[in-house]
Structure formats: structure tokens, C-alpha cells
Amino acid sequence: MDAQQLPDECVLRVLDYLWKEPRLHEFFERRSQHAHVYDQQRVHKVLWARSVAPMHVCRAWRQPSVRRYFRTLVVDLQCQNALLPDAAVLARHVLVLANSVQYDPLALSMQFLDAHTLGLCVFDSRDACPDVSHALASTLHSALPHLNSIWFQCMGSIGRFAQSVLEDLSARSSARVTAMHFESTESRSCVANVIRSHAHSLQFLSLGKVSGGVLSTLVVHKGKQLVYARLKRLLFAIPSNTHIYADVPEYTTSSFPQLEELYYDDAHSAGLPREEWFAPLFDVFLSHPTRLKYLTFPIVYNTQRCVSRDNCPQLVGLRHIKCCWATGAWSSQQRESDSTRVLSAIASIPSLECYVHPSYIARLSHVPSNIMCTGLWRLDLYGWPLTVNNMCWVLRVFKRLQTLRVTLVQSEDVDDAWQPTSSVLKRLTVGSADAGLENQELGRLACMLELMPLLSRVSLYDQAYAFVSKAAATWTRDTRDLQITNNVSGLRSGQSFRSPLAQLTTAASANSPPSTSWYLIHPLLIDG
């Protein structure tokens, strides 16, 4: 059996391994847990400079390789691109570089009948010609007649050219656009207008950095509530010191009735969060019962606002970020600590499989009794001051837990009952919030680790690492597959990536060479 007889999925898996371009695939799939790293500039750069080395394959693999290569194209509208006829047939995603000053109408002269995604990167300037924007929108609409996804990015501020192109193209494709992505929508009413015009059809929406004012107008406009009846995935980021939804009234129904994934990207936020920023945000998205399955969202302590079975009965994954404390009479009347209330709320969701809350919180006043999320396999409470006995309780009630991150503190009760338990845990990270554990507690920790036959990776803080490493030599369990490491260096975050095109200017792009990739690929298509 040669490559042409293999199922498409098998061929693409092999070629994806050869091309080593996972970023392109992830960009269009939008893995929301890392949404802030998928900027369009970087993808354009990858496409522009991608190697054709994997095209040097035998004749049996030649056709599938060509199909894989032309699945995603980059077109520079400042020059004529040597696009082969095969490109028009095979392309599924077309990324276009457009300049408001220089535009060659012949640069995109063919139709991509099977392409459904347009990535438009616009270099705007004050010298833009109004007629060019309408001509460009018309050209793009003709070249991609079946367009349903628009990924828009403007280098610099959105000027009249970029605004006109976006609005014109959006109007021409208004009946079928189901996905839109923007790098930033801060203080840009033109983008909000475009989004509202597609409220009836959108299934995926990524707003990038958005101001509170713009976000408010997407829910309420001219005194009327907007409903995104088909929207399933919503991603956005709020910059620091932004007041959100200050004037949004309370409605009896949700503006996002079909939403399955809500991702709040906190990469652009800094400083201490405040209640007035996040409490109204919660009220808009989570005050009504939802169909959410995946949620990344801030949490406001000391209030009745919490994610639970009441508003998220189908939730599978939950990540709490940007925690802040509220003040008021309700909080002072509660006997339970914040940690106990939060854990009780998330434990009430039967479908929950993953919970992440890596932030400091008060100690547990007591352990919850009604645990319904028995399928939980990942739990991250790094920052919660838990005792070793608390950790034993976690392992005992969440019997399917495979990954656990905790911060251990010395128990305040020296006579705290010790109840060791076995577990199917595979990966464990333990940190310390203060001076660390005393030897008695460290002994309990080591004893607990010995009772975990499937445990393969353990990362411990300095003192615990030294103690457990020594104790492991006396264990009766097989430790050949067990890796114990010190987490001092393992928990450091990596450096942020700087986009190669971050400093690219209009002048620099005008001097760029034509799409040499097409000239390199041509001999490979016609040789023996």
C-alpha cells in the first residue's frame, strides 16, 4: 500500500511529524488554555520562512506532501505571488499580508473554492487611499467565496483603511461567518459593530485584549440585550485597571445560551485584582445556568458568587485565576473559610474532571462532606495551605486522581489523627508556604508516598526532597520507575516569546522579497 491509498488522517499525521509545524495546526484549532501565545504575526512568520525539505520525498509520497504543503498559504498583496494552480484547489487556510499604501490587484487573482479561513494582517498608515480598502475587500471576497472564518490583525492602531476593509468584507460575508478572531479590540467600536452584526451566526469568538466598555456593548447595545444564540467558544483578555459592565442591567436570560467554553486570558493583567472588576463579570456570564464544559475565570471570595452545580452543571474543566477578596456583611456571617466554601462548591459538580486554583487562600475550616465529582483526575491547589492529613483526605475522596499539586504546612494540632491511604496518583508536586514541615509530618508524607504503587513523578521542596529521598531507600515498593526531583528550578516559568514580526514596519515589509517558497516548490513538482 502506497501513501495515496492510506486514509487522509494517517497521511497527515505522518507529514505533520515531518514538517514539525504544530504551531500552524494549533493556531487554527485555538487551544484555549494557551490562547495568548497564538498571535497571527508569528504564524505569518512561520509560513513565510517554512522549509520545503520535507517535499524531497519519493514519488509515492509526492502528491500527499503537496496537498499537505498547500493546505495553508501566505499571500503578500504587495507583489505578485507565484501561486501554482494546485494551490487554489488544495488551500484550506489563506493568510494575507495587506498594506494600505501599496496594493497589487493581481496578487490574488485566483479563487480558492475550498478555503474557508482568512487570516488578514493589515499594515495601516495615514497615507491610505480610501478606494484601496474597497478594492481589497472585493478581491478577498471574490478569492474566497466560501469564507466562514476571519482572523484579523492590524499592525498598529486600526485606521480608516483597516476599519473599512474589515467592515466591507464582513458585510459581504455576513450570512455565513461562524468564527472571528482579533488580536485586540480595545476601544474599537468598529470591531464591536462587526461582531454584533454576526451575533446570529458566530460559533467561535476570540476578542484578544478588550476594554470593559467594548465588552459591555457586545452584550447590551442601544438599550437592548444581544443574544449570541450559536456561540460555543468565547476567549478574551482584560487589561489592568479596567471596569467591566458597570452599566449592564440584570436580564432574566443569558446572552450566551449555548456557550460551552469561556476562557478569560489573564496574560495582560497585572497588579492586585479588585472586586468591582470581576464581580460584574461573573454576573453577566455565570448568574444563569449554563452549558459550559470548560471555564477559565476569576474568582471573588467572600461573596455568594461561586461556580457550582447550580450554574455550571456540565462543567468538565475549571481554572480559577485572579482571585480577589470582597468585603461585606455576608462574609462576616459565615462560619466556613473561603477554601471550604470553594471546595464544597466545585465538589458539587458531578462531571468535573480537572480543577486548577494555584493561588493563596485561607486554611480549610473543615473538609466538605458531600463530594459528587468522583471522576476528578487533576487537582491543582498549589498555594492552598494544606496539612498532610488534608492531603490524605483529598486522595481518599478523589479516588481517580492522577495529578496533584499542593502546598503543605505544619498542622496546628500536634495530635491530628493520621489516616494514610493508598492512591492511583501518578504525578505529585509539593511545595511549602512557610518554614516547611517538621520531621513527624515529613515521615507521614514519606509513608503516604510509599503507598502509591503507580506514582512515577514526585517534585518536592528542598527539605522534603532530602527527607523523602533518604526514606525511599528503605521502602518495600518498587522504586525503579519512580522519579523524585527538587522543584526549586522546576517551577520557574519560562521566558515569554517575542514575536519575530513585532518590530516589522510598513517600510520593512515593502522591501521584503517575494514569496520565494513558491519558486522553491516548483522544481519539486515537476522533477522525476
Side-chain angles (χ1 to χ4, degrees), residues 185-259:
T185 52
E186 287 186 274
S187 304
R188 293 172 178 177
S189 58
C190 65
V191 175
N193 292 336
V194 170
I195 294 173
R196 286 194 297 266
S197 68
H198 295 284
H200 64 285
S201 62
L202 282 175
Q203 298 180 29
F204 168 82
L205 177 60
S206 175
L207 298 172
K209 290 191 297 182
V210 59
S211 67
V214 171
L215 198 54
S216 300
T217 63
L218 295 180
V219 178
V220 179
H221 185 57
K222 296 182 178 180
K224 295 183 179 180
Q225 180 188 19
L226 295 174
V227 177
Y228 297 78
R230 302 180 62 191
L231 192 66
K232 294 184 177 181
R233 303 180 67 194
L234 176 61
L235 291 68
F236 65 92
I238 299 291
S240 301
N241 305 321
T242 299
H243 291 269
I244 306 167
Y245 294 110
D247 56 352
V248 175
E250 295 184 6
Y251 290 104
T252 57
T253 58
S254 172
S255 293
F256 311 95
Q258 301 295 324
L259 199 62

Side-chain angles (χ1 to χ4, degrees), residues 416-433:
D416 194 8
W418 168 235
Q419 299 177 349
T421 181
S422 61
S423 171
V424 297
L425 197 69
K426 296 181 179 179
R427 292 169 293 275
L428 172 65
T429 299
V430 176
S432 175

Side-chain angles (χ1 to χ4, degrees), residues 36-37 489-498:
H36 61 274
V37 303
S489 59
L491 293 179
R492 292 175 182 171
S493 59
Q495 295 181 349
S496 59
F497 181 87
R498 180 63 173 170

Side-chain angles (χ1 to χ4, degrees), residues 1 47 73 79 101 109-110 129 148 170 256 264 288 327 404 432 449 479 519:
M1 177 182 292
L47 281 169
L73 299 180
C79 59
V101 179
S109 57
M110 60 176 61
C129 177
N148 60 26
S170 174
F256 311 95
Y264 173 97
H288 304 286
T327 58
L404 176 64
S432 175
L449 298 183
T479 59
Y519 297 99

